[in-house]
Amino acid sequence: MDRRADQEHQEHQEHVQADGAIGRENDTDGENLGSWKQKQEQEAKRLKHKKESEHSDNVEESIRYWQIEDDISPKMKDNLETLKMVLGLGETFDVVFREMTTGGRHIGYLFLNTFAKDQIMVEVLKRLTYLTPGDLTSDGLHAYFEYYIPHIQVEKTDKMSVVINKVLAGYSAFFMEGERFSVILDTRNYPVRSPEEPSLERVVRGARDGFTETMLTNVGLVRRRLRDPGLKFEAMQVGRRTRTDVCLGYIDDIVDKVMVDTVRDKIKNVNLDGIPLADKQLEETIINKGWNPYPLVRYSERPDVVASHIMEGRLVIFVDTSPSVMILPTTFFDLCQHAEENRQTAFMGSYLRWVRFIGIFASMFLLPMWLLMVINPELKPAFLDFIGPQKQAHLPLIAQFIIVELGVDLMRMAAVHTPTPLASAMGLIAAVLVGDIAVKSGLFVNEVVLYMAVAAIGMFATPSYELGLANRLIRLFLLIAVAIFHVPGFVVGTTLIILMLTMHRSYNSSYLWPFIPFNAKALASILFRMPVLDAPNRPSFNKTRDNTRMPHTDANTDSDSGNGQEH
């Protein structure tokens, strides 16, 4: 019994010692777990502080901030960490990194699900299943790139910045464990609407397609009309953050190469975070940098108009996300022409052009001239004795004009923001009720409303929307000058306007050409829509390298006879 008791006591002591050892072990594990959690929290705080302290201007600087160099790492883990910090992988839902194992190798597929084209991606991933460990023993990604990718637009890169910029543009990229480069595939599928006729440049006859918000589609619409091998489209990107695609379009053996080089350099030197408002912001950075109200470039949403200007020797600028294209250089008279004039016969086209010129002239000078003749009745010819208010209103004439000007602008802005089914009702209320009641109540005189309506029609008949707005501002300036200074105000104000337009240059070209400097034959082709065969030469205004539209003949030797053709 004593022996048995001693044995039980000894076993009890061993159990106690074992339990103590286990307890000490558990305490140690608990300390290790707590220490690991603490380290994780410290690392998370460090990364958060480092991320908040980053002030990189572009993707390249951001990558070097996180991994010292811009090279792709052979370790998938390192690449993932960089993508998390720079691209927001795991934080933004549309950035996807699909990891898989193929042929015994760890592979990652990076893309944006908002731009991914599912059919191409499924086919590419299907080909991955054909790979065997033997195919990937050495330089596996290169073998996949050469033999297994069933896609046309594929490239390789060893720079992480190139991968990220391409993915943000809609491409997708492959990474493979142990490889120092990535395979980039063009699997873009941008949201795009179908080409339709632009609302600002409608024609009775002619093409019904128009530019969209996708630059690739717009370039294709122009390329379809110009099959010249000399047609060049140079692509570049603008903006450190937006990296907006910009494209220069021109015919190499026609355009003035000095102008192309100048515009290209200015675009490349744009130092902005981005141009989310597309072409208008780009215009202000490279062309119209001041407070000049007149447009120094022409905008068009019609592919046929842009193609015809390229044939004239102009330079055009496409900006992604914008349905309009910039055309330069341009003149005041270029902005007064419309495609409809060239869809009719030469005689009818000239008639339409004259009617349009009269409307533009009326939008600028009709109201100031009427006000001048009312203030100074002695200036009225005898056959215009009927001009002038038959009865006085409670407000001075200049106050009536300013109020009506503001009212027309309010109507224009309201029409833009009014749903289409209600736009007609809004116009009826504004034109009939407000105008009629204002006249009957004695606030306005009938002729003020009448002439303001004619001027507004002339403004809306102006082909260039930007030119119409600028002319409206000039009309308001002349009205105030006439109200204050009478005849000297009209004369001096008109002179200052002409001087302002003359001094402004559209890329070393006169804005009022061919009126200033005067060129009689070129001015005739502005005033009249010439038949196609009577305009064998391109305008000298464009400084083209090849100024002939057709082979030289004895009758076709003048280099200035072809200006003013708006196709």
Side-chain angles (χ1 to χ4, degrees):
M1 291 292 295
D2 293 338
R3 189 183 302 171
R4 186 175 181 181
D6 292 339
Q7 187 177 357
E8 290 178 354
H9 177 72
Q10 186 177 354
E11 290 177 358
H12 175 71
Q13 292 295 331
E14 290 175 357
H15 281 300
V16 170
Q17 292 176 359
D19 292 339
I22 292 173
R24 288 191 300 272
E25 222 174 90
N26 290 336
D27 292 341
T28 304
D29 290 342
E31 292 176 1
N32 292 336
L33 181 61
S35 177
W36 180 80
K37 289 183 178 180
Q38 187 176 5
K39 288 181 179 179
Q40 287 293 104
E41 291 176 357
Q42 291 176 353
E43 180 65 14
K45 289 180 180 180
R46 185 187 69 82
L47 290 176
K48 182 179 179 181
H49 177 73
K50 185 176 180 180
K51 193 169 186 178
E52 291 175 351
S53 302
E54 182 182 358
H55 298 287
S56 302
D57 287 334
N58 51 52
V59 174
E60 292 84 351
E61 291 183 9
S62 181
I63 291 173
R64 289 191 174 94
Y65 179 81
W66 289 101
Q67 64 175 31
I68 301 178
E69 56 185 10
D70 193 14
D71 297 333
I72 294 175
S73 172
K75 296 181 179 179
M76 189 73 72
K77 180 182 177 182
D78 294 342
N79 293 328
L80 276 172
E81 290 298 323
T82 301
L83 293 174
K84 288 178 181 178
M85 296 303 168
V86 178
L87 193 57
L89 180 63
E91 297 178 4
T92 175
F93 79 93
D94 59 333
V95 179
V96 180
F97 191 81
R98 175 74 165 86
E99 296 185 70
M100 64 200 82
T101 300
T102 300
R105 298 284 290 274
H106 187 195
I107 292 177
Y109 195 15
L110 178 66
F111 60 93
L112 296 181
N113 59 14
T114 48
F115 293 151
K117 191 178 295 184
D118 295 344
Q119 294 180 349
I120 295 178
M121 295 176 62
V122 169
E123 186 63 28
V124 170
L125 292 175
K126 187 188 299 182
R127 293 299 181 101
L128 281 173
T129 61
Y130 300 161
L131 298 176
T132 64
D135 297 327
L136 302 179
T137 52
S138 62
D139 205 5
L141 199 56
H142 178 76
Y144 179 63
F145 172 79
E146 292 288 343
Y147 304 112
Y148 288 95
I149 298 182
H151 196 50
I152 297 175
Q153 293 179 286
V154 186
E155 60 180 289
K156 294 189 298 183
T157 183
D158 58 355
K159 300 297 182 183
M160 182 63 77
S161 60
V162 175
V163 171
I164 292 178
N165 285 328
K166 289 285 188 179
V167 169
L168 290 174
Y171 293 74
S172 57
F174 268 109
F175 295 89
M176 182 176 288
E177 186 74 33
E179 301 293 343
R180 291 184 175 272
F181 68 92
S182 172
V183 174
I184 301 174
L185 296 85
D186 186 359
T187 56
R188 291 175 291 180
N189 185 27
Y190 290 151
V192 59
R193 61 181 174 90
S194 60
E196 57 188 20
E197 187 176 14
S199 59
L200 290 178
E201 298 178 88
R202 294 184 181 275
V203 294
V204 177
R205 293 187 181 276
R208 303 299 177 187
D209 57 348
F211 291 130
T212 69
E213 288 75 17
T214 304
M215 189 179 76
L216 193 62
T217 302
N218 298 340
V219 170
L221 290 173
V222 175
R223 175 68 78 174
R224 181 184 179 187
R225 289 168 167 82
L226 296 179
R227 301 178 181 180
D228 191 327
L231 179 61
K232 301 292 189 300
F233 293 106
E234 297 183 20
M236 58 197 76
Q237 292 182 326
V238 176
R240 296 192 301 267
R241 294 185 180 276
T242 61
R243 300 191 68 85
T244 306
D245 292 321
V246 176
C247 175
L248 301 181
Y250 57 90
I251 296 180
D252 187 65
D253 57 334
I254 296 179
V255 74
D256 178 15
K257 297 302 287 291
V258 175
M259 178 180 64
V260 174
D261 295 338
T262 303
V263 174
R264 183 193 301 115
D265 292 340
K266 287 188 175 183
I267 293 176
K268 289 183 177 180
N269 292 330
V270 172
N271 186 20
L272 292 173
D273 276 354
I275 50 173
L277 299 182
D279 46 10
K280 190 58 186 176
Q281 285 183 317
L282 183 63
E283 177 203 345
E284 291 187 14
T285 58
I286 66 173
I287 299 172
N288 195 354
K289 301 179 181 180
W291 290 86
N292 178 22
Y294 277 91
L296 298 181
V297 300
R298 177 171 184 173
Y299 288 98
S300 178
E301 298 182 30
R302 296 187 61 91
D304 51 355
V305 171
V306 171
S308 68
H309 278 93
I310 294 177
M311 291 285 291
E312 294 290 337
R314 310 288 175 100
L315 173 67
V316 300
I317 303 177
F318 299 82
V319 182
D320 195 29
T321 71
S322 173
S324 56
V325 172
M326 284 190 286
I327 303 171
L328 61 137
T330 191
T331 67
F332 180 90
F333 298 103
D334 279 337
L335 298 169
C336 296
Q337 299 177 38
H338 191 267
E340 179 67 25
E341 299 157 9
N342 289 276
R343 297 291 182 179
Q344 307 297 330
T345 62
F347 185 87
M348 291 306 303
S350 299
Y351 168 75
L352 294 176
R353 186 170 292 183
W354 271 94
V355 171
R356 202 179 304 278
F357 282 149
I358 292 173
I360 295 173
F361 179 86
S363 70
M364 298 177 65
F365 298 106
L366 180 63
L367 268 64
M369 291 177 65
W370 180 85
L371 180 62
L372 183 64
M373 286 188 288
V374 170
I375 296 176
N376 300 274
E378 67 276 8
L379 298 176
K380 288 189 296 184
F383 65 93
L384 294 179
D385 284 339
F386 63 91
I387 291 179
Q390 303 301 318
K391 59 180 180 178
Q392 298 297 322
H394 299 303
L395 295 176
L397 287 177
I398 185 62
Q400 296 178 42
F401 277 122
I402 292 176
I403 293 174
V404 174
E405 285 275 7
L406 297 178
V408 170
D409 277 340
L410 285 174
M411 285 179 56
R412 178 177 56 83
M413 289 186 286
V416 172
H417 301 296
T418 303
T420 304
L422 302 178
S424 300
M426 187 276 297
L428 182 65
I429 293 173
V432 178
L433 294 183
V434 176
D436 186 55
I437 293 174
V439 171
K440 289 182 177 179
S441 63
L443 292 176
F444 298 154
V445 297
N446 285 323
E447 288 189 63
V448 169
V449 178
L450 171 64
Y451 291 125
M452 187 65 226
V454 174
I457 292 173
M459 182 182 72
F460 292 127
T462 306
S464 171
Y465 180 70
E466 292 79 13
L467 180 63
L469 293 179
N471 288 342
R472 175 212 161 277
L473 194 64
I474 294 303
R475 178 176 71 237
L476 188 59
F477 166 74
L478 287 177
L479 282 172
I480 296 175
V482 168
I484 298 175
F485 302 106
H486 300 185
V487 175
F490 182 81
V491 174
V492 174
T494 304
T495 304
L496 289 176
I497 292 168
I498 295 176
L499 286 176
M500 179 192 71
L501 296 178
T502 304
M503 293 174 61
H504 280 292
R505 312 285 291 176
S506 180
Y507 269 96
N508 293 326
S509 301
S510 173
Y511 195 62
L512 288 182
W513 190 89
F515 179 64
I516 300 175
F518 186 74
N519 186 313
K521 290 189 175 182
L523 184 60
S525 62
I526 286 287
L527 298 177
F528 302 96
R529 205 284 274 177
M530 296 296 182
V532 173
L533 296 180
D534 290 345
N537 301 103
R538 297 185 176 90
S540 61
F541 164 78
N542 296 328
K543 301 180 178 64
T544 55
R545 302 170 65 195
D546 178 6
N547 68 338
T548 59
R549 288 196 182 101
M550 57 187 72
H552 278 291
T553 63
D554 293 338
N556 299 331
T557 57
D558 192 349
S559 63
D560 291 325
S561 62
N563 185 68
Q565 296 293 334
E566 164 67 26
H567 301 277

